[in-house]
Amino acid sequence: MTPRALRRWFSVHKWTSLVCTVFLLIVCVTGLPMLFSEQIFDTFVGDDDPPYESLPADIPNASLDVIVQKARALYPGQIITSVNPDDDEPAVLVSMAPSWQALKDDENHPDRHSGHWIKFDARTAKMLKQSRPADAPKEPRTWTGIIMGICNRLHVSLFAGLPGQLFLGLMGGAFGASLISGTVLYGRFMKRLPFGSVRRDRASRLTWLDLHNLLGAATLVWATVVGFTGLVNELQTPLFGLWRVTDVRQILKPYANLPVPSQEHLSSVQAAFDTAAKATPGNEVTGLSFPGASFGSPVHYVLWTRGATPLRARLFTPVLVDARTGELTGAYPMPWYLRFLEISRPLHFGDYGGMPLRILWALLDVVVIGVLVSGLVLWVVKRRIATDVRLRALGYDLDDADDATAPVLTTETVR
């Protein structure tokens, strides 16, 4: 490698690192509590749901039609918007609203934001809990909820919505360029030294440099995977938008102008779940949306199914069932870019391997924070050394002003 090429690689590494370091520090620090969000909420917030009845393990679940009827009896005149079985508990969540218009972002609608939910025991169809009415005073937020909400919004979008997501995606690209250029430089400068060596008997800046290089090399693969999957996750909004205006619009085009039928005359919800399960062998049905939703069809149940294995659990396949007749319209696997996005989510947060993998992810996250901090220290120290050299060239005597902790000026450190 020629000196010119080496200087170019160094410039790429320096500037891409400086551009993204502060934002990566924010992402890394906020990502730590998000790795253990479930455990944090269980510890500091707890669950005020009533206990489930003790029933035999092999007892079958109640029909979803019975649960839907009980929800309608509790709130006659309202519509049901979705039915979602719980992933971890024997429960079913039924969401309701006065109308579909009440759920839209309409400042003038009297029932704006009046949607609510009811939680039922999936085995007995007994109501367990429901959300507070829209006109009731809001429950005070806990400090845990506030802190975790801040961490989530900082980590995902820096409180800036879609522009913040795209900006963090750009920072992820800069991080990738920093990793590549750092790998090239590390191989070049460390070929005369044993791998992983830290020169503690030289200038302090060399010690920081060796630590920076060592930690960066040790976490290179993990940082590349998490950085790339983070970049992909930041593109979720435009990718889902692309899917809706292409495939989804084409699928729903024949039904777009049909009126939404009354929910009193719709076909069986339980039968729609069974139909979707048969249409996607090996998948489990995770939820159902009623006709009329802004993202669905005016005459179809939209059911979401996913794979039953850990690897396929993030691969969703929507199924359309005609809500008027109960007949299957079709199952529509997501395009490749959304399937790639869904697979990257658990890899980014370490969800594939349970708690052991999350702990490993947290430790590696701390190490990457050390890489970022050491990189900032190296940049600050180098700027201080360069400033001292320029002042001495102008005739200033800085020896008396330097304290014992000042960096040692040698030919090697200046270079």
Side-chain angles (χ1 to χ4, degrees):
M1 184 180 296
T2 63
R4 177 179 295 181
L6 196 60
R7 283 194 292 269
R8 288 176 178 174
W9 277 111
F10 180 78
S11 296
V12 170
H13 184 68
K14 179 177 70 173
W15 291 112
T16 55
S17 299
L18 288 175
V19 165
C20 68
T21 292
V22 173
F23 303 103
L24 286 177
L25 276 173
I26 294 174
V27 169
C28 289
V29 172
T30 56
L32 278 175
M34 291 177 64
L35 284 170
F36 307 102
S37 58
E38 295 180 6
Q39 291 72 24
I40 291 174
F41 276 106
D42 290 343
T43 301
F44 295 100
V45 179
D47 188 0
D48 59 352
D49 288 1
Y52 290 96
E53 295 184 27
S54 297
L55 299 173
D58 58 349
I59 186 173
N61 288 339
S63 172
L64 292 174
D65 294 326
V66 174
I67 294 176
V68 167
Q69 291 173 3
K70 288 193 173 185
R72 287 197 178 118
L74 288 171
Y75 294 93
Q78 293 198 6
I79 63 168
I80 296 177
T81 59
S82 64
V83 177
N84 299 282
D86 195 281
D87 294 338
D88 304 317
E89 301 177 357
V92 175
L93 204 68
V94 178
S95 299
M96 303 187 70
S99 65
W100 285 113
Q101 289 72 23
L103 300 177
K104 295 180 180 179
D105 192 13
D106 184 0
E107 293 286 350
N108 299 320
H109 198 281
D111 296 324
R112 183 171 178 253
H113 301 323
S114 57
H116 60 99
W117 52 263
I118 311 170
K119 189 175 184 179
F120 292 91
D121 189 319
R123 305 162 301 173
T124 64
K126 179 181 178 181
M127 188 187 73
L128 298 172
K129 184 182 178 182
Q130 59 179 322
S131 60
R132 296 167 66 87
D135 56 353
K138 293 184 178 181
E139 295 182 356
R141 294 186 64 187
T142 63
W143 280 108
T144 303
I146 294 174
I147 293 173
M148 293 301 296
I150 292 174
C151 288
N152 182 70
R153 294 186 66 182
L154 277 174
H155 188 87
V156 174
S157 65
L158 298 176
F159 285 95
L162 178 59
Q165 294 178 21
L166 297 178
F167 177 78
L168 285 180
L170 181 62
M171 293 300 99
F175 182 50
S178 174
L179 291 174
I180 295 172
S181 57
T183 303
V184 172
L185 292 172
Y186 184 73
R188 177 68 178 176
F189 283 106
M190 296 298 290
K191 64 181 182 179
R192 295 183 180 180
L193 295 173
F195 177 79
S197 61
V198 178
R199 292 167 287 182
R200 301 181 183 275
D201 56 341
R202 307 290 291 277
S204 60
R205 183 173 178 271
L206 285 180
T207 303
W208 277 102
L209 177 62
D210 290 343
L211 285 172
H212 178 80
N213 291 336
L214 175 60
L215 296 177
T219 57
L220 175 63
V221 175
W222 180 85
T224 302
V225 171
V226 173
F228 179 71
T229 53
L231 186 156
V232 173
N233 285 327
E234 295 294 356
L235 300 177
Q236 61 178 328
T237 300
L239 289 179
F240 272 101
L242 175 63
W243 177 56
R244 289 190 181 117
V245 300
T246 53
D247 296 356
V248 174
R249 179 176 294 178
Q250 190 65 28
I251 293 170
L252 299 181
K253 186 176 181 180
Y255 316 101
N257 297 322
L258 295 178
V260 179
S262 170
Q263 291 196 351
E264 297 177 355
H265 302 95
L266 299 182
S267 60
S268 165
V269 171
Q270 182 63 61
F273 267 75
D274 297 338
T275 299
K278 292 178 182 178
T280 54
N283 282 17
E284 57 183 10
V285 185
T286 62
L288 173 148
S289 296
F290 273 68
S294 58
F295 55 84
S297 163
V299 295
H300 287 91
Y301 291 127
V302 179
L303 298 102
W304 291 91
T305 70
R306 67 178 184 184
T309 64
L311 182 61
R312 298 178 59 246
R314 297 282 179 160
L315 298 179
F316 291 90
T317 299
V319 177
L320 293 182
V321 174
D322 195 314
R324 301 164 298 180
T325 63
E327 296 181 356
L328 174 69
T329 299
Y332 307 94
M334 286 185 171
W336 67 268
Y337 52 87
L338 288 184
R339 295 169 74 86
F340 183 77
L341 168 65
E342 295 298 337
I343 289 177
S344 71
R345 291 184 193 273
L347 191 60
H348 183 73
F349 288 104
D351 289 344
Y352 277 126
M355 184 55 65
L357 190 60
R358 292 189 182 187
I359 294 175
L360 176 60
W361 251 231
L363 294 175
L364 291 170
D365 190 12
V366 171
V367 175
V368 170
I369 291 175
V371 174
L372 297 173
V373 171
S374 61
L376 283 176
V377 170
L378 286 170
W379 179 67
V380 171
V381 170
K382 184 177 181 180
R383 287 181 62 85
R384 179 180 177 183
I385 292 173
T387 301
D388 289 351
V389 171
R390 287 194 293 267
L391 289 174
R392 284 193 174 93
L394 293 174
Y396 288 92
D397 186 7
L398 303 180
D399 294 336
D400 296 335
D402 289 344
D403 56 27
T405 60
V408 179
L409 283 176
T410 65
T411 304
E412 188 170 14
T413 56
V414 172
R415 184 170 62 251

